[in-house]
Amino acid sequence: MGKVIVWNLVTLDGYFEGTKKWDLDFHNRAWGPELEALSLEFGAKAQALVFGRVTYEGMAAYWPTAEGEGRVKTYMNALPKIVASRTMEKADWNNSRVVRDATVELRRLKDESEKNLYIFGSADLVASLLPENVVDEIMLCLVPVQLGDGTRFFKKAEEARPFSLLEARPLSNGGVILRYAPEAA
């Protein structure tokens, strides 16, 4: 059975984007050969990429024409993509489809495959899936910068939710990969 794995880069103060939509300049502090290798690993292990509507729209605007992204661009454009949205009717980026009920669809897909489903960004989608126990792992790259303001990755939860540390791996540029599994409720 595959896993649903959340992947994101977050600042020391918990932001996954700056004060403006798609303000991701802080990613450059962590990007390098290690994150590129990890991205290629995701591409090889992925059944599909999963996005909320807002993240999908940004990714779909960037990846088809991205320059200098090599094999990562190939994976991003070729892999199947699932968009969780209640408002979108269709998704035009190669190999994309819209689902209304992400909880049901992700449970079905992870039961049917040995490969993983990777959720990139999509803070609102992640917030909706965590209480439903759909997420198997949260994988973050903690970027050594404090933004001071922006969009927080973790939304307010109804109750405390504990996680178990699976791995903490420092990167040569000061970032740290943290892998967590939600503990059973």
Side-chain angles (χ1 to χ4, degrees):
M1 176 162 62
K3 293 181 183 179
V4 173
I5 299 174
V6 173
W7 165 248
N8 217 329
L9 282 79
V10 290
T11 64
L12 288 174
D13 48 354
Y15 298 107
F16 82 113
E17 71 182 351
T19 55
K20 297 178 183 156
K21 279 285 177 224
W22 294 99
D23 179 1
L24 305 175
D25 289 343
F26 72 92
H27 285 200
N28 295 326
R29 294 188 59 86
W31 185 256
E34 294 154 307
L35 282 189
E36 182 177 12
L38 184 62
S39 297
L40 294 173
E41 182 181 317
F42 290 163
K45 291 182 177 179
Q47 172 187 356
L49 304 177
V50 182
F51 307 104
R53 179 190 55 80
V54 173
T55 302
Y56 173 83
E57 289 172 349
M59 296 284 203
Y62 176 76
W63 284 106
T65 59
E67 293 183 20
E69 298 286 355
R71 290 178 38 215
V72 174
K73 176 183 175 179
T74 301
Y75 278 130
M76 292 298 293
N77 287 311
L79 283 168
K81 289 162 275 298
I82 298 164
V83 188
S85 176
R86 292 179 297 277
T87 59
M88 285 179 68
E89 294 300 319
K90 65 179 188 156
D92 294 326
W93 185 15
N94 182 49
N95 247 347
S96 296
R97 65 186 176 91
V98 177
V99 299
R100 300 281 179 244
D101 191 335
T103 299
V104 169
E105 184 66 4
L106 295 181
R107 282 186 177 137
R108 182 186 71 76
L109 288 172
K110 75 179 190 174
D111 284 344
E112 291 178 357
S113 177
E114 294 298 315
K115 289 190 161 193
N116 297 326
L117 300 158
Y118 289 94
I119 301 174
F120 291 172
S122 307
D124 291 330
L125 174 60
V126 172
S128 73
L129 295 173
L130 281 170
E132 299 297 325
N133 300 314
V134 175
V135 173
D136 299 295
E137 185 176 316
I138 293 184
M139 190 174 190
L140 302 172
C141 178
L142 189 60
V143 181
V145 66
Q146 180 182 12
L147 283 187
D149 198 8
T151 306
R152 292 201 181 274
F153 180 61
F154 288 102
K155 305 300 180 187
K156 183 177 178 182
E158 294 295 320
E159 57 188 40
R161 178 174 294 109
F163 293 85
S164 297
L165 180 66
L166 302 173
E167 177 186 17
R169 178 179 12 146
L171 303 176
S172 61
N173 58 22
V176 180
I177 302 293
L178 299 167
R179 292 179 47 232
Y180 293 97
E183 291 182 6

